[in-house]
Amino acid sequence: MSDWLMSVPAFIVAIGLLVAVHEYGHFWVARRMGVKVLRYSIGFGNRVWGFTGRRSGIEYWLSAIPLGGYVKMLDEREGPVAEADKPYAFNRQHPARRIAIVAAGPGVNFLFAIAAYWLVFMIGVAGIKPMIGAAPADSLAAQAGLRAGDEIVAIDDRRIENWEDLRLGLIERGLDGDAVDLQVRNDEGSVRRVGLDLSNVPADPEKLFDRLGLMPYQPPATPLIADVVADSAASRAGLQRGDQIQAVDGDAMDTPQALVERIQASPGERVRLTVVRDGETLDIPVTLASVENADGVAEGRLGAQIGVDAAAWQSMRTTRQLGPLAAVPAAAAKTWEVSALTVRLMARMVTGEVSLRNVSGPIQIANYAGQTASIGLEAFVGFLALVSVSLAVLNLLPIPVLDGGHLLYYSIEWIRGRPLSEAVQVAGQQVGMVALLMLMTLAFYNDILRLLG
């Protein structure tokens, strides 16, 4: 419940800000083009609060449904227009001017993302070093000779700063399906080159890293109980927050991942945990729960949140911080990278190479908003940049009810010298509405599945 107390306000702030930025792009360019603007609304539906500009007569609204917004312009297609005002109607403008007005919304979202990433780089991007854990023997990483503790410092001579850089870089190369050249530094400081063939890996990010066998390195550290779930196997056995788990049935556990894998491999079994509590070593028997994972395979469950002593992870932390000038090209490059990757993933979803489960809706966005807001300013601003890019790319899709559909219509009109027939435009709007509703339904469906685990 407390998570949603953070998620809902963070979601409203995030969506409200990004919609305001998007619509302001339309608003600002429309006014510069001499088009009469009637209303600037954040949200849809009935007005909750607002005012009317004294000189301009423009209505500024906050509306009841905070999932979008609009700029209402004078338009003869929406009602009668006085003869004196017809030169200022949107529909009377040259197609090039209408294209500029429509494109300004997504354009400002891209500019906002650049500004947000600039601020993030100024504050400092916190992350973990791109060091990898032990890869399964049959994985591509193991076959390429990558070992636990190796730090990947570059992909095809492109510098890697943290695990997020590594993840995005490999997803991008995975879409290409080419071999990549990794520069790898071992724990002794020497650097070697390792080739990694991505020609047969799945393009889907959900499956890519499993196939590669890559996961973040976990420094040796005794796992401990960070929290105990009520009415779980852990609570019934008497495990307590702060208990350090040293062994399971006599097998030493030196990382949280080792403990999790051992527990998952023992569904329904009775195991003996060796724990240290307040300096005393205890043997505690626990009967693990058994649940089915997404593939229908039974897995053991302890019912506890596993952590480690924070000091063990300090050496893994890294922060990238840039000055005001150096942050500008870095922010622009980051925006371009995220935009290009978003477009490519969308294209692969259409061809079926990337799972539609990657589509997220407002519930998942709200969840991410709350999580990043709770982490801190840098994480929340980075989240805003990512969603701003997604909003811009989505709106540029050539679907008639979106900005991209309008851009398509106006471009055709400019080339032909006359607009498409009203019947064709209406049919396109109907098809676009159906497509958008299907996309929204899919997003909500995915969100609900995630909530259900």
Side-chain angles (χ1 to χ4, degrees):
M1 183 65 180
S2 59
D3 292 342
W4 284 103
L5 290 177
M6 174 66 78
S7 296
V8 173
F11 173 76
I12 293 174
V13 169
I15 294 301
L17 177 60
L18 295 177
V19 168
V21 166
H22 179 92
E23 297 304 332
Y24 186 76
H26 297 313
F27 174 86
W28 189 85
V29 174
R31 297 199 71 189
R32 295 304 177 276
M33 292 289 181
V35 175
K36 187 173 182 178
V37 176
L38 304 179
R39 183 182 302 149
Y40 173 87
S41 176
I42 306 303
F44 296 112
N46 296 329
R47 187 186 80 163
V48 174
W49 178 85
F51 65 93
T52 301
R54 292 183 180 180
R55 294 185 178 181
S56 65
I58 299 173
E59 297 176 332
Y60 297 91
W61 283 15
L62 282 178
S63 299
I65 306 174
L67 292 177
Y70 63 93
V71 173
K72 183 177 181 180
M73 291 170 272
L74 191 69
D75 196 313
E76 292 176 285
R77 295 167 298 182
E78 297 181 3
V81 174
E83 193 66 32
D85 284 338
K86 287 183 178 179
Y88 310 110
F90 178 78
N91 64 289
R92 290 287 183 110
Q93 307 305 307
H94 187 276
R97 298 167 75 88
R98 280 178 275 153
I99 288 172
I101 293 170
V102 171
V108 172
N109 277 126
F110 285 124
L111 292 176
F112 178 88
I114 293 174
Y117 280 129
W118 176 83
L119 180 59
V120 166
F121 285 125
M122 288 275 291
I123 297 171
V125 181
I128 61 173
K129 294 178 181 178
M131 297 175 67
I132 63 172
D138 60 347
S139 67
L140 293 177
Q143 293 168 13
L146 292 172
R147 298 183 293 270
D150 282 344
E151 181 177 356
I152 300 175
V153 296
I155 299 178
D156 291 337
D157 294 323
R158 178 182 174 185
R159 186 179 176 186
I160 298 298
E161 299 274 354
N162 51 44
W163 186 264
E164 183 64 19
D165 287 348
L166 175 62
R167 178 176 173 79
L168 291 177
L170 288 178
I171 289 174
E172 182 181 356
R173 301 307 193 279
L175 292 173
D176 294 330
D178 297 329
V180 296
D181 179 61
L182 306 179
Q183 292 183 35
V184 181
R185 181 166 55 220
N186 63 21
D187 54 6
E188 297 177 351
S190 62
V191 177
R192 70 186 190 278
R193 290 185 177 271
V194 174
L196 198 60
D197 186 6
L198 303 182
S199 58
N200 294 316
V201 300
D204 195 327
E206 287 189 341
K207 303 175 181 177
L208 172 63
F209 279 73
D210 287 340
R211 180 70 181 91
L212 293 177
L214 293 178
M215 64 184 68
Y217 175 73
Q218 296 190 18
T222 303
L224 57 81
I225 303 293
D227 200 6
V228 177
V229 177
D231 194 28
S232 64
S235 65
R236 287 190 290 270
L239 291 172
Q240 299 177 12
R241 181 183 298 180
D243 285 350
Q244 294 184 340
I245 302 178
Q246 293 189 319
V248 178
D249 287 338
D251 298 328
M253 298 289 115
D254 59 358
T255 67
Q257 185 63 30
L259 174 61
V260 170
E261 291 176 355
R262 179 67 174 81
I263 294 297
Q264 289 179 341
S266 309
E269 295 182 13
R270 186 177 179 84
V271 298
R272 176 174 51 87
L273 303 185
T274 303
V275 307
V276 175
R277 178 185 300 166
D278 299 327
E280 182 182 0
T281 301
L282 305 172
D283 284 332
I284 300 178
V286 181
T287 301
L288 301 174
S290 177
V291 298
E292 287 189 0
N293 62 20
D295 298 322
V297 178
E299 289 184 347
R301 286 291 186 274
L302 180 60
Q305 182 179 341
I306 306 301
V308 294
D309 184 351
W313 285 87
Q314 290 304 313
S315 63
M316 289 290 294
R317 293 177 60 84
T318 181
T319 300
R320 181 188 183 192
Q321 191 169 21
L322 302 174
L325 294 180
V328 174
K334 183 70 172 179
T335 301
W336 170 257
E337 177 187 14
V338 174
S339 302
L341 186 58
T342 301
V343 171
R344 297 184 68 187
L345 286 173
M346 284 184 174
R348 296 300 178 94
M349 286 183 195
V350 173
T351 61
E353 296 175 79
V354 172
S355 172
L356 293 175
R357 289 183 297 180
N358 289 283
V359 177
S360 296
I363 298 175
Q364 185 71 358
I365 294 173
N367 186 32
Y368 285 141
Q371 290 178 6
T372 55
S374 64
I375 293 172
L377 179 62
E378 173 264 322
F380 187 63
V381 174
F383 165 77
L384 290 177
L386 180 62
V387 178
S388 189
V389 168
S390 299
L391 182 62
V393 172
L394 179 64
N395 268 280
L396 287 174
L397 294 177
I399 299 175
V401 292
L402 299 176
D403 290 337
H406 296 301
L407 291 174
L408 177 63
Y409 279 168
Y410 302 149
S411 297
I412 293 174
E413 179 181 346
W414 193 359
I415 294 171
R416 296 176 75 233
R418 65 183 188 279
L420 294 170
S421 68
E422 185 174 344
V424 170
Q425 293 192 48
V426 170
Q429 294 284 348
Q430 292 173 342
V431 172
M433 185 62 71
V434 171
L436 195 59
L437 287 173
M438 291 175 64
L439 181 62
M440 291 174 62
T441 301
L442 174 64
F444 273 108
Y445 174 75
N446 287 341
D447 283 357
I448 293 170
L449 286 184
R450 292 186 184 101
L451 285 177
L452 296 176

